[in-house]
Amino acid sequence: MSTHFNSHSHMGITVNPDGTVIREVQFPKIESNPDPITGNLTVSKDVILNPKHKTYVRVFRPVKLPSNDNTVARLPIMIYFHGGGFVLYSAADALAHNNCAQMASDIPAIIVSVDYRLAPEHKLPACYEDAVDAILWVRDQALDPEGEPWLKSFGDFTRCYLSGRGNGANAVFHAMSRALDLDLGPLKIAGLIYNQALFGGIQRTKSEIKLAADHLLPLPVLDALWDLALPRGADRDHRFSNPMIDGPHKSKIGSLPRSLVIGFNGDPLIDRQQEFLQMLALAGVQVEAQFDDAGFHGVDIVDQRRALALIKIVKDFII
């Protein structure tokens, strides 16, 4: 790694003196559209989540709804958290939108994609708080006779899943840990999906050292992301980054729902993902693992075939 390497430039951001950032790269965005369009397999709509925090959810459903004996079948509900290291992207970005639309069509499922607050303007646990808001919002739709029609008419509130990619998978763990203390009825979280989860720690792992110059997540960028996201004064062994450390959060792990952990051996984070998997299993969580020798962090972004294969893995876990 060159001594002139600039982590912030690599991410396309400039850090202001007040600690906020300028996100210089404008990613293509897609507007939601609740009305079917010829050729589109899904429809979507945006619903305000928390006006104070300016958060919202983008809800997707398939246009063609499966039926049993001429009755529309109830679809699983997936609450989804996009990636971006807690710092980048939104639910409206083409990458997140298209991925959620594909999942809604292929699984099929109702997808609730969360547009949460970003760091460093909103450091952790802001993302986790928004994630819990989304879980409670879905619960409230079940309780409200005038709740969101797509969820009320087509969703199965007893088959709700939390899913995330990268830092979104990190959010799955911490949001579910918080939700264990809440009354979610009649909502039931039936499973958790961790895709290429972002975890960290002070002590370097073998995969981090081996892949320190990774094209997407070189080690200085990983460090910079945690510096931007973690609470002021916290280091990478804070539980938000490193849930494997001892602490009161460990007592909740055994109560987590069945889980699916996905990773690739070319990912600098693979050792942490495997350690996380082991932690879940040792705590008694029913866990499935899908680790691929080929591939790297974000391979599903650049490889459509791999992206579709991951959706098939998720579908098999849900079904």
Side-chain angles (χ1 to χ4, degrees), residues 145-162:
E146 304 298 323
E148 166 53 46
W150 288 2
L151 272 72
K152 296 284 286 186
S153 299
F154 310 122
D156 183 347
F157 291 99
T158 68
R159 289 193 298 152
C160 183
Y161 295 80
L162 305 187

PDB file of all heavy atoms in Angstrom, residues 145-162:
ATOM      1  N   PRO A 145     -55.491  -1.678  11.971  1.00  0.00           N
ATOM      2  CA  PRO A 145     -56.471  -2.080  10.952  1.00  0.00           C
ATOM      3  C   PRO A 145     -56.313  -1.302   9.651  1.00  0.00           C
ATOM      4  O   PRO A 145     -56.698  -1.792   8.584  1.00  0.00           O
ATOM      5  CB  PRO A 145     -57.823  -1.767  11.626  1.00  0.00           C
ATOM      6  CG  PRO A 145     -57.530  -1.772  13.087  1.00  0.00           C
ATOM      7  CD  PRO A 145     -56.138  -1.244  13.230  1.00  0.00           C
ATOM      8  N   GLU A 146     -55.745  -0.107   9.747  1.00  0.00           N
ATOM      9  CA  GLU A 146     -55.525   0.714   8.550  1.00  0.00           C
ATOM     10  C   GLU A 146     -54.041   0.712   8.162  1.00  0.00           C
ATOM     11  O   GLU A 146     -53.547   1.660   7.559  1.00  0.00           O
ATOM     12  CB  GLU A 146     -55.984   2.154   8.821  1.00  0.00           C
ATOM     13  CG  GLU A 146     -57.427   2.283   9.266  1.00  0.00           C
ATOM     14  CD  GLU A 146     -58.393   1.781   8.212  1.00  0.00           C
ATOM     15  OE1 GLU A 146     -58.121   1.991   7.004  1.00  0.00           O
ATOM     16  OE2 GLU A 146     -59.411   1.168   8.591  1.00  0.00           O
ATOM     17  N   GLY A 147     -53.325  -0.359   8.494  1.00  0.00           N
ATOM     18  CA  GLY A 147     -51.898  -0.449   8.224  1.00  0.00           C
ATOM     19  C   GLY A 147     -51.575  -0.506   6.748  1.00  0.00           C
ATOM     20  O   GLY A 147     -52.469  -0.614   5.885  1.00  0.00           O
ATOM     21  N   GLU A 148     -50.289  -0.425   6.436  1.00  0.00           N
ATOM     22  CA  GLU A 148     -49.806  -0.437   5.053  1.00  0.00           C
ATOM     23  C   GLU A 148     -50.440  -1.599   4.277  1.00  0.00           C
ATOM     24  O   GLU A 148     -50.252  -2.766   4.610  1.00  0.00           O
ATOM     25  CB  GLU A 148     -48.282  -0.556   5.038  1.00  0.00           C
ATOM     26  CG  GLU A 148     -47.664  -0.918   3.714  1.00  0.00           C
ATOM     27  CD  GLU A 148     -48.108  -0.002   2.583  1.00  0.00           C
ATOM     28  OE1 GLU A 148     -48.108   1.233   2.764  1.00  0.00           O
ATOM     29  OE2 GLU A 148     -48.472  -0.538   1.515  1.00  0.00           O
ATOM     30  N   PRO A 149     -51.208  -1.289   3.202  1.00  0.00           N
ATOM     31  CA  PRO A 149     -51.993  -2.325   2.508  1.00  0.00           C
ATOM     32  C   PRO A 149     -51.159  -3.467   1.933  1.00  0.00           C
ATOM     33  O   PRO A 149     -51.597  -4.621   1.961  1.00  0.00           O
ATOM     34  CB  PRO A 149     -52.702  -1.545   1.395  1.00  0.00           C
ATOM     35  CG  PRO A 149     -52.757  -0.132   1.882  1.00  0.00           C
ATOM     36  CD  PRO A 149     -51.505   0.059   2.678  1.00  0.00           C
ATOM     37  N   TRP A 150     -49.971  -3.182   1.415  1.00  0.00           N
ATOM     38  CA  TRP A 150     -49.178  -4.258   0.834  1.00  0.00           C
ATOM     39  C   TRP A 150     -48.787  -5.284   1.887  1.00  0.00           C
ATOM     40  O   TRP A 150     -48.784  -6.485   1.627  1.00  0.00           O
ATOM     41  CB  TRP A 150     -47.924  -3.699   0.153  1.00  0.00           C
ATOM     42  CG  TRP A 150     -48.207  -2.967  -1.122  1.00  0.00           C
ATOM     43  CD1 TRP A 150     -49.419  -2.735  -1.681  1.00  0.00           C
ATOM     44  CD2 TRP A 150     -47.239  -2.365  -1.988  1.00  0.00           C
ATOM     45  NE1 TRP A 150     -49.284  -2.016  -2.848  1.00  0.00           N
ATOM     46  CE2 TRP A 150     -47.957  -1.783  -3.060  1.00  0.00           C
ATOM     47  CE3 TRP A 150     -45.856  -2.256  -1.963  1.00  0.00           C
ATOM     48  CZ2 TRP A 150     -47.311  -1.109  -4.096  1.00  0.00           C
ATOM     49  CZ3 TRP A 150     -45.214  -1.578  -2.995  1.00  0.00           C
ATOM     50  CH2 TRP A 150     -45.934  -1.012  -4.066  1.00  0.00           C
ATOM     51  N   LEU A 151     -48.435  -4.812   3.083  1.00  0.00           N
ATOM     52  CA  LEU A 151     -48.093  -5.748   4.146  1.00  0.00           C
ATOM     53  C   LEU A 151     -49.336  -6.438   4.688  1.00  0.00           C
ATOM     54  O   LEU A 151     -49.342  -7.649   4.934  1.00  0.00           O
ATOM     55  CB  LEU A 151     -47.343  -5.026   5.276  1.00  0.00           C
ATOM     56  CG  LEU A 151     -45.821  -4.938   5.111  1.00  0.00           C
ATOM     57  CD1 LEU A 151     -45.464  -3.944   4.007  1.00  0.00           C
ATOM     58  CD2 LEU A 151     -45.145  -4.536   6.407  1.00  0.00           C
ATOM     59  N   LYS A 152     -50.418  -5.677   4.879  1.00  0.00           N
ATOM     60  CA  LYS A 152     -51.643  -6.248   5.436  1.00  0.00           C
ATOM     61  C   LYS A 152     -52.259  -7.279   4.490  1.00  0.00           C
ATOM     62  O   LYS A 152     -52.763  -8.314   4.937  1.00  0.00           O
ATOM     63  CB  LYS A 152     -52.667  -5.133   5.696  1.00  0.00           C
ATOM     64  CG  LYS A 152     -52.252  -4.123   6.747  1.00  0.00           C
ATOM     65  CD  LYS A 152     -52.379  -4.673   8.158  1.00  0.00           C
ATOM     66  CE  LYS A 152     -53.825  -4.759   8.585  1.00  0.00           C
ATOM     67  NZ  LYS A 152     -53.949  -5.150  10.008  1.00  0.00           N
ATOM     68  N   SER A 153     -52.222  -7.006   3.199  1.00  0.00           N
ATOM     69  CA  SER A 153     -52.898  -7.869   2.227  1.00  0.00           C
ATOM     70  C   SER A 153     -52.047  -9.045   1.767  1.00  0.00           C
ATOM     71  O   SER A 153     -52.572 -10.113   1.447  1.00  0.00           O
ATOM     72  CB  SER A 153     -53.313  -7.048   0.996  1.00  0.00           C
ATOM     73  OG  SER A 153     -54.210  -6.017   1.348  1.00  0.00           O
ATOM     74  N   PHE A 154     -50.728  -8.848   1.713  1.00  0.00           N
ATOM     75  CA  PHE A 154     -49.882  -9.855   1.082  1.00  0.00           C
ATOM     76  C   PHE A 154     -48.783 -10.421   1.988  1.00  0.00           C
ATOM     77  O   PHE A 154     -48.172 -11.435   1.665  1.00  0.00           O
ATOM     78  CB  PHE A 154     -49.225  -9.269  -0.180  1.00  0.00           C
ATOM     79  CG  PHE A 154     -50.187  -8.589  -1.102  1.00  0.00           C
ATOM     80  CD1 PHE A 154     -50.026  -7.253  -1.450  1.00  0.00           C
ATOM     81  CD2 PHE A 154     -51.288  -9.269  -1.614  1.00  0.00           C
ATOM     82  CE1 PHE A 154     -50.908  -6.621  -2.303  1.00  0.00           C
ATOM     83  CE2 PHE A 154     -52.184  -8.640  -2.469  1.00  0.00           C
ATOM     84  CZ  PHE A 154     -52.005  -7.309  -2.809  1.00  0.00           C
ATOM     85  N   GLY A 155     -48.488  -9.772   3.127  1.00  0.00           N
ATOM     86  CA  GLY A 155     -47.377 -10.197   3.958  1.00  0.00           C
ATOM     87  C   GLY A 155     -47.763 -11.191   5.035  1.00  0.00           C
ATOM     88  O   GLY A 155     -48.896 -11.190   5.529  1.00  0.00           O
ATOM     89  N   ASP A 156     -46.802 -12.024   5.408  1.00  0.00           N
ATOM     90  CA  ASP A 156     -46.982 -12.982   6.499  1.00  0.00           C
ATOM     91  C   ASP A 156     -46.152 -12.484   7.681  1.00  0.00           C
ATOM     92  O   ASP A 156     -44.926 -12.607   7.691  1.00  0.00           O
ATOM     93  CB  ASP A 156     -46.500 -14.370   6.050  1.00  0.00           C
ATOM     94  CG  ASP A 156     -46.724 -15.443   7.114  1.00  0.00           C
ATOM     95  OD1 ASP A 156     -47.014 -15.082   8.274  1.00  0.00           O
ATOM     96  OD2 ASP A 156     -46.580 -16.641   6.790  1.00  0.00           O
ATOM     97  N   PHE A 157     -46.809 -11.914   8.672  1.00  0.00           N
ATOM     98  CA  PHE A 157     -46.104 -11.306   9.795  1.00  0.00           C
ATOM     99  C   PHE A 157     -45.456 -12.346  10.717  1.00  0.00           C
ATOM    100  O   PHE A 157     -44.687 -11.980  11.600  1.00  0.00           O
ATOM    101  CB  PHE A 157     -47.059 -10.417  10.599  1.00  0.00           C
ATOM    102  CG  PHE A 157     -47.490  -9.181   9.854  1.00  0.00           C
ATOM    103  CD1 PHE A 157     -48.711  -9.131   9.200  1.00  0.00           C
ATOM    104  CD2 PHE A 157     -46.658  -8.077   9.807  1.00  0.00           C
ATOM    105  CE1 PHE A 157     -49.106  -7.986   8.510  1.00  0.00           C
ATOM    106  CE2 PHE A 157     -47.038  -6.924   9.130  1.00  0.00           C
ATOM    107  CZ  PHE A 157     -48.263  -6.878   8.470  1.00  0.00           C
ATOM    108  N   THR A 158     -45.759 -13.618  10.514  1.00  0.00           N
ATOM    109  CA  THR A 158     -45.108 -14.661  11.307  1.00  0.00           C
ATOM    110  C   THR A 158     -43.840 -15.170  10.626  1.00  0.00           C
ATOM    111  O   THR A 158     -43.143 -16.030  11.173  1.00  0.00           O
ATOM    112  CB  THR A 158     -46.049 -15.849  11.549  1.00  0.00           C
ATOM    113  OG1 THR A 158     -46.305 -16.532  10.315  1.00  0.00           O
ATOM    114  CG2 THR A 158     -47.361 -15.375  12.153  1.00  0.00           C
ATOM    115  N   ARG A 159     -43.558 -14.655   9.448  1.00  0.00           N
ATOM    116  CA  ARG A 159     -42.329 -15.043   8.716  1.00  0.00           C
ATOM    117  C   ARG A 159     -41.587 -13.782   8.292  1.00  0.00           C
ATOM    118  O   ARG A 159     -41.501 -13.452   7.124  1.00  0.00           O
ATOM    119  CB  ARG A 159     -42.664 -15.895   7.494  1.00  0.00           C
ATOM    120  CG  ARG A 159     -43.154 -17.293   7.810  1.00  0.00           C
ATOM    121  CD  ARG A 159     -43.144 -18.158   6.551  1.00  0.00           C
ATOM    122  NE  ARG A 159     -44.046 -17.641   5.535  1.00  0.00           N
ATOM    123  CZ  ARG A 159     -43.864 -17.821   4.221  1.00  0.00           C
ATOM    124  NH1 ARG A 159     -42.802 -18.468   3.775  1.00  0.00           N
ATOM    125  NH2 ARG A 159     -44.742 -17.351   3.361  1.00  0.00           N
ATOM    126  N   CYS A 160     -41.051 -13.088   9.277  1.00  0.00           N
ATOM    127  CA  CYS A 160     -40.285 -11.872   9.022  1.00  0.00           C
ATOM    128  C   CYS A 160     -38.799 -12.176   9.198  1.00  0.00           C
ATOM    129  O   CYS A 160     -38.410 -12.884  10.138  1.00  0.00           O
ATOM    130  CB  CYS A 160     -40.720 -10.757   9.969  1.00  0.00           C
ATOM    131  SG  CYS A 160     -39.897  -9.183   9.681  1.00  0.00           S
ATOM    132  N   TYR A 161     -37.984 -11.660   8.300  1.00  0.00           N
ATOM    133  CA  TYR A 161     -36.541 -11.898   8.327  1.00  0.00           C
ATOM    134  C   TYR A 161     -35.809 -10.564   8.316  1.00  0.00           C
ATOM    135  O   TYR A 161     -36.258  -9.605   7.679  1.00  0.00           O
ATOM    136  CB  TYR A 161     -36.103 -12.729   7.112  1.00  0.00           C
ATOM    137  CG  TYR A 161     -36.682 -14.123   7.103  1.00  0.00           C
ATOM    138  CD1 TYR A 161     -37.987 -14.356   6.666  1.00  0.00           C
ATOM    139  CD2 TYR A 161     -35.943 -15.200   7.569  1.00  0.00           C
ATOM    140  CE1 TYR A 161     -38.529 -15.629   6.684  1.00  0.00           C
ATOM    141  CE2 TYR A 161     -36.481 -16.479   7.591  1.00  0.00           C
ATOM    142  CZ  TYR A 161     -37.773 -16.687   7.143  1.00  0.00           C
ATOM    143  OH  TYR A 161     -38.312 -17.952   7.171  1.00  0.00           O
ATOM    144  N   LEU A 162     -34.691 -10.519   9.013  1.00  0.00           N
ATOM    145  CA  LEU A 162     -33.793  -9.370   8.940  1.00  0.00           C
ATOM    146  C   LEU A 162     -32.607  -9.770   8.075  1.00  0.00           C
ATOM    147  O   LEU A 162     -32.000 -10.828   8.286  1.00  0.00           O
ATOM    148  CB  LEU A 162     -33.295  -8.959  10.325  1.00  0.00           C
ATOM    149  CG  LEU A 162     -34.332  -8.657  11.409  1.00  0.00           C
ATOM    150  CD1 LEU A 162     -33.624  -8.111  12.656  1.00  0.00           C
ATOM    151  CD2 LEU A 162     -35.383  -7.698  10.919  1.00  0.00           C
TER     152      LEU A 162
END
